[in-house]
Amino acid sequence: MLIDGYEDGPLVAGERLLERAGFWSNHLLDMCRFTSGGARPVPEWFGDDGADAGALSEVLLDERAWPAFRVPFGAGHRVVHVHRNFVDEPGTDHLLTHSSWPRAETLSSFDGDLYGPGLSWRELTHIADTPDPSAPGVQDVAARLLLLLPALADDELPPDAAARVSAALTAVGAPEDSAGRTADHLLGNRQPAAWRPDLSGSPLSGGDHRPAGAASDGSALLQALDLTRSQSDALARALGCAALPPW
């Protein structure tokens, strides 16, 4: 499995692992940081047990085959969640890709700390809600939302955010009686909105330079990525947001 500009590891399609017991606790438990006096996060919050979670962890962290989970959305774009299994330096990435781009753009990377622009709640739910059945990858909306959730970086969430996450958790097998509490814990430990710097260098593929200080009246994500004008406009349409103002 090839991602342009991301040839450092042996990527393999990982979607079949979504049905394996222990997957969702491996994927989300790092978001459930233990706080003094609070409940200690356990795999059972996600309908798993410790043995299943441990067994699947060995698969997800295999240095010979790096699982990648594709989330396709509008007009050929996709987010790919990758287990970056370097020896002694494992981590995870959420990459944004398109077949016309010369390389993948990083949405977020986690190797103990999270960095990258991340996704706002609006961006995350828009991608989750707009699957592309013509492209390979995850089409189930609940699974898509949860795959993207570790990339969430937003300071303010709508009132129904916790209910949305809770419903997604129960849809993938989490206990109904504790899903709401788990959703609150996940969202409470989300990353704040990332600082997105002005990008005044040359975009990819020889496009026009973007002026320093250019601001978007739509998605701040667009300004954080190093895209040509046409690539940025196409992504804005796929995200259902306003394009960047003229460069």
Side-chain angles (χ1 to χ4, degrees):
M1 178 182 177
L2 177 65
I3 298 176
D4 289 339
Y6 199 88
E7 291 86 14
D8 291 331
L11 302 182
V12 296
E15 290 87 11
R16 61 184 177 82
L17 298 177
L18 296 181
E19 304 301 322
R20 290 272 301 270
F23 176 80
W24 292 109
S25 56
N26 270 285
H27 181 65
L28 294 171
L29 207 56
D30 280 343
M31 288 187 72
C32 299
R33 301 182 186 88
F34 175 68
T35 55
S36 179
R40 184 173 295 279
V42 292
E44 284 76 10
W45 287 12
F46 304 94
D48 301 329
D49 63 34
D52 288 334
L56 192 58
S57 177
E58 294 184 7
V59 177
L60 293 173
L61 297 177
D62 189 344
E63 297 159 358
R64 300 162 300 174
W66 299 6
F69 302 85
R70 296 162 290 181
V71 181
F73 63 108
H77 297 88
R78 62 181 180 176
V79 176
V80 188
H81 175 65
V82 177
H83 284 260
R84 180 173 23 87
N85 296 333
F86 287 119
V87 177
D88 298 326
E89 292 184 288
T92 57
D93 297 323
H94 281 85
L95 307 173
L96 183 61
T97 75
H98 191 277
S99 60
S100 69
W101 298 359
R103 68 167 187 245
E105 292 284 328
T106 300
L107 291 175
S108 69
S109 290
F110 181 79
D111 53 10
D113 293 309
L114 184 72
Y115 60 93
L119 292 168
S120 71
W121 177 257
R122 192 207 67 80
E123 292 159 352
L124 188 154
T125 54
H126 183 86
I127 293 171
D129 290 339
T130 54
D132 181 358
S134 68
V138 181
Q139 305 294 339
D140 178 75
V141 171
R144 289 163 65 89
L145 185 143
L146 296 176
L147 279 171
L148 298 172
L149 196 60
L152 177 63
D154 206 333
D155 294 328
E156 296 184 10
L157 300 178
D160 64 345
R164 178 77 192 269
V165 174
S166 177
L169 288 168
T170 57
V172 300
E176 291 186 18
D177 60 351
S178 60
R181 183 171 67 250
T182 302
D184 288 338
H185 202 96
L186 290 167
L187 294 175
N189 285 298
R190 71 188 184 278
Q191 296 295 319
W195 175 69
R196 279 108 175 199
D198 295 332
L199 300 173
S200 55
S202 297
L204 300 178
S205 306
D208 294 334
H209 287 215
R210 185 178 313 180
S216 171
D217 58 354
S219 171
L221 175 64
L222 297 175
Q223 187 163 337
L225 302 177
D226 192 12
L227 302 176
T228 66
R229 179 78 228 198
S230 61
Q231 291 165 350
S232 178
D233 289 350
L235 178 58
R237 291 191 293 272
L239 289 171
C241 69
L244 287 168
W247 299 353

